[in-house]
């Protein structure tokens, strides 16, 4: 049976192809459109790639799986919004500000009819036609959003029994869900409805600090670590605890600060949040455009000001507390020794690290495509299971995107009239360049899915150089100097570097680095003493493993600084031509692409 999984018309549009219950192709639309996030776009190009990679047409597809339960639209969702609006209406009126219409309820109603099942089927048909996919559209199955998240993580894990924690902005009328996976079944235990969204809470603080919500939450997470040394002086936990209230075994989010109220300053937070925080300190975080400020007499990033750092730390701290409440419930009340995580908030590596360290669980698996892109896979798995197919597929890698042969690469380089060399040992030459302090781009095999580059489309540097992190940020990625980088390391050496790793294949769980080696690889250690590692197995990615092995022989450390092959605000590159553009428009020293290498003077 062939199932096309789709996530579209919202965040992180993506498509995947399951054949006989097995994943054979996965593509995120941003990689093809070159528009970061591609929010609101139908994954037409991603779907076309999935079919073409398997040499299939639309007529060969049996079902389409869509990770959103449209049966709740519009009436069930309208009732939900109405109840919440009436509940908070009195307090909402108190937050009326500067003549803006405070009613988020009316705006929400306008979107409800867009997700009516008939409307969504029609939009899917239009999207497939736009992709040039001829033929009748197969039957479309709509899958509850959080169940799609749950399927995407549990059935990709190696666990036969696990607690499942899915946390995001919202899926239909649910924001967080606890479930248990046992054998081939998933049982929902508890759901947190709208408006109690941890994703909305974190997005509100993300936008309040001047970042782009639903895109820059990783920046907020990285910034929060800078406040670790000041946590004893942090004055923001108490006021933010009015927004995110955490009790024994539960949490609540007050929507007066996120949804219901005036939105003069931002779409993800209300004027009430501004009033709340500026009452504590009216000058801590000036709401302004731009990224620069005078810090200690020098013009630097405004995010290094104490107000930004401390608010980021407080938001991260409260998120971790809430997640731990949920994880401990799975462990203590339901006997979960293993925990699987998905949903957009699951991309928070620091939170995931605290779950494995403090919840009492023994093992953790986090879906590397935890954002909504992963629901394309989860929805397809759900539908396949309904038709009796075996869907368990422990995920060992995420290389399910487009690949390009040496002939493809050679043709492009020749037609581009560039100087290049053919290599007998790409991994060995790459290791030599890294040992010398070069920053190289690495383009091999199929493209990864998820937000992390994992050895297919990567920018690499040797972490033994203390200043290499700053060079990569300033000269290559063009991003904030305080943002950290992740390491890739040979799997069998992980105990030498990491404190307590059990699942570290996808750079999505933070672990403390052992103090004995932290000073030897300083450029991959964050200020809080943690790393977000990828452990590489020879049988999974032999050429990338060979690079690490060669580098280990040269430097004594089979560890490389690994970041995504792109510059700031762009998606990870997909094709060889995109690799060339990025190489020549950044401070990279060399590009190893297939068996070929290009160097700059």
């Amino acid at each position: 049976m062939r199932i096309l999984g789709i996530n579209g018309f919202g965040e992180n549009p993506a498509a995947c192809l399951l054949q006989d219950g097995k994943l054979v192709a996965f593509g995120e639309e941003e990689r093809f459109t070159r528009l970061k996030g591609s929010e609101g776009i139908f994954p037409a190009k991603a779907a076309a790639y999935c079919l073409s990679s398997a040499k299939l047409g639309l007529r060969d597809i049996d079902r389409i799986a869509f990770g959103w339960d449209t049966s709740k639209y519009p009436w069930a969702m309208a009732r939900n919004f109405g109840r919440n609006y009436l509940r908070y209406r009195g307090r909402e009126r108190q937050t009326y500000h500067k003549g803006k219409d405070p009613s988020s309820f009316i705006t929400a109603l306008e979107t409800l009819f867009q997700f009516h099942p008939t409307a969504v089927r029609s939009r899917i048909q239009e999207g497939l036609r736009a992709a040039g996919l001829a033929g009748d559209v197969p039957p479309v199955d709509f899958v509850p959003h959080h169940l799609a998240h749950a399927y995407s993580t549990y059935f990709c894990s190696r666990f036969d029994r696990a607690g499942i924690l899915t946390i995001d902005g919202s899926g239909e009328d649910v924001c967080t869900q606890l479930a248990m996976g046992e054998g081939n079944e998933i049982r929902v235990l508890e759901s947190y409805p709208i408006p109690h969204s941890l994703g909305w809470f974190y997005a509100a603080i993300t936008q309040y600090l001047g970042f782009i919500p639903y895109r820059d939450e990783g920046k907020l997470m990285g910034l929060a670590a800078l406040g670790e040394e000041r946590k004893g002086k942090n004055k923001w936990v108490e006021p933010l605890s009015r927004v995110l209230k955490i009790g024994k075994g539960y949490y609540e989010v007050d929507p007066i600060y996120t949804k219901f109220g005036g939105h003069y300053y931002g779409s993800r937070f209300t004027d009430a949040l501004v009033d709340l925080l500026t009452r504590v300190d009216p000058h801590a975080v000036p709401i302004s455009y731009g990224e620069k400020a005078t810090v200690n007499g020098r013009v630097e990033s405004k995010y290094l000001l104490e107000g930004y750092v401390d608010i980021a730390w407080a938001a991260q701290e409260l998120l971790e507390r809430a997640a731990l409440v949920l994880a401990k419930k799975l462990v203590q009340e339901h006997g979960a020794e293993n925990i699987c995580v998905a949903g957009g908030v699951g991309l928070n590596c620091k939170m995931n690290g605290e779950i494995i360290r403090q919840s009492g669980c023994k093992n953790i698996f986090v879906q590397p495509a935890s954002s909504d892109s992963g629901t394309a896979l989860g929805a397809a798995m759900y539908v396949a299971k309904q038709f009796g197919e075996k869907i368990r597929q422990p995920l060992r890698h995420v290389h399910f995107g487009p690949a390009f042969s040496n002939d493809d690469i050679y043709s492009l380089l020749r037609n581009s009239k560039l100087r290049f060399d053919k290599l007998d040992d790409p991994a060995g030459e790459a290791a030599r360049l890294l040992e010398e302090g070069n920053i190289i781009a690495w383009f091999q095999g199929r493209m990864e899915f998820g937000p992390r580059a994992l050895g297919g489309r990567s920018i690499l540097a040797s972490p033994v150089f203390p200043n290499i992190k700053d060079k990569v940020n300033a000269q290559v990625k063009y991003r904030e100097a305080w943002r950290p980088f992740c390491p890739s390391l040979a799997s069998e050496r992980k105990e030498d570097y990491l404190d307590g790793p059990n699942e570290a294949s996808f750079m999505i769980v933070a672990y403390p680095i052992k103090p004995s080696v932290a000073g030897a690889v300083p450029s991959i250690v964050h200020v809080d003493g943690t790393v977000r590692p990828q452990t590489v197995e020879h049988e999974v990615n032999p050429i990338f493993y060979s690079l690490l092995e060669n580098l280990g022989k040269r430097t004594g450390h089979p560890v490389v600084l690994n970041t995504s092959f792109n510059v700031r605000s762009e998606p990870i590159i997909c094709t060889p031509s995109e690799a060339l553009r990025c190489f020549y428009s950044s401070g990279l020293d060399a590009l190893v692409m297939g068996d070929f290498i290009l160097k700059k003077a």
Side-chain angles (χ1 to χ4, degrees), residues 201 231 233-246 257 273 276-277 279-280 310-311 313-315 317-318 321:
F201 164 75
K231 62 183 179 182
K233 301 178 181 179
N234 194 292
K235 59 189 176 185
W236 301 104
V237 173
E238 189 279 327
L240 286 180
S241 295
R242 303 180 198 178
V243 184
L244 173 53
K245 306 172 185 178
I246 301 169
Y257 300 103
L273 181 66
L276 174 68
L277 298 184
R279 281 200 303 270
V280 177
D310 289 352
I311 289 177
W313 187 90
E317 172 70 10
L318 289 171
R321 291 182 190 178

Side-chain angles (χ1 to χ4, degrees), residues 492-512:
E492 66 272 12
R493 294 287 303 278
K494 62 184 179 182
E495 285 80 8
D496 296 337
Y497 293 88
L498 309 176
D499 187 3
N502 56 48
E503 190 283 310
S505 300
F506 304 115
M507 292 183 180
I508 203 164
V509 181
Y511 292 102

Side-chain angles (χ1 to χ4, degrees), residues 84-322:
N84 280 306
Y85 177 68
L86 291 173
R87 176 182 176 185
Y88 293 102
R89 182 177 58 179
R91 293 178 59 208
E92 177 189 21
R93 285 174 175 168
Q94 297 172 17
T95 69
Y96 182 81
H97 189 78
K98 296 191 177 182
K100 296 290 287 185
D101 179 6
S103 178
S104 300
F105 177 62
I106 301 300
T107 303
L109 279 179
E110 293 174 352
T111 67
L112 295 182
F113 287 92
Q114 297 179 16
F115 285 93
H116 187 281
T118 301
V120 173
R121 284 192 181 94
S122 176
R123 293 166 72 191
I124 289 174
Q125 180 173 326
E126 292 172 1
L128 294 172
R129 293 287 184 272
L133 297 173
D136 295 333
V137 176
V140 180
D141 295 300
F142 297 109
V143 179
H145 187 72
H146 276 262
L147 200 56
H149 274 311
Y151 267 69
S152 78
T153 186
Y154 175 66
F155 285 106
C156 284
S157 77
R158 64 181 187 277
F159 309 136
D160 291 324
R161 186 176 190 275
I164 306 169
L165 181 57
T166 61
I167 314 174
D168 64 6
S170 65
E172 302 99 36
D173 53 354
V174 175
C175 301
T176 297
Q177 196 164 81
L178 281 69
M180 282 296 298
E182 298 186 71
N184 291 319
E185 300 298 329
I186 289 178
R187 174 169 51 94
V188 175
L189 302 172
E190 184 178 354
S191 297
Y192 283 71
I194 287 175
H196 303 295
S197 170
L198 293 174
W200 290 357
F201 164 75
Y202 210 75
I205 306 304
T206 298
Q207 188 178 45
Y208 181 81
L209 293 182
F211 299 122
I212 301 174
Y214 279 39
R215 182 188 300 181
D216 289 346
E217 279 75 4
K219 295 183 181 182
L220 177 60
M221 179 185 68
L223 184 65
L226 303 181
E228 185 67 20
E229 292 183 357
R230 291 178 43 76
K231 62 183 179 182
K233 301 178 181 179
N234 194 292
K235 59 189 176 185
W236 301 104
V237 173
E238 189 279 327
L240 286 180
S241 295
R242 303 180 198 178
V243 184
L244 173 53
K245 306 172 185 178
I246 301 169
K248 188 175 182 180
Y250 76 95
Y251 77 86
E252 292 181 355
V253 175
D254 190 336
I256 292 301
Y257 300 103
T258 58
K259 277 290 180 183
F260 294 126
H263 288 269
Y264 181 79
Y265 297 102
S267 60
R268 296 292 175 177
F269 62 91
T270 68
D271 304 333
L273 181 66
V274 178
D275 294 339
L276 174 68
L277 298 184
T278 53
R279 281 200 303 270
V280 177
D281 185 346
H283 305 294
V285 181
I287 300 172
S288 61
Y289 294 101
E291 298 182 1
K292 300 298 181 181
T294 301
V295 182
N296 298 324
R298 295 185 302 174
V299 177
E300 296 183 9
S301 171
K302 71 178 183 182
Y303 298 113
L304 299 178
L305 294 169
E306 286 181 359
Y308 288 86
V309 169
D310 289 352
I311 289 177
W313 187 90
Q316 178 69 28
E317 172 70 10
L318 289 171
L319 175 69
E320 291 172 11
R321 291 182 190 178

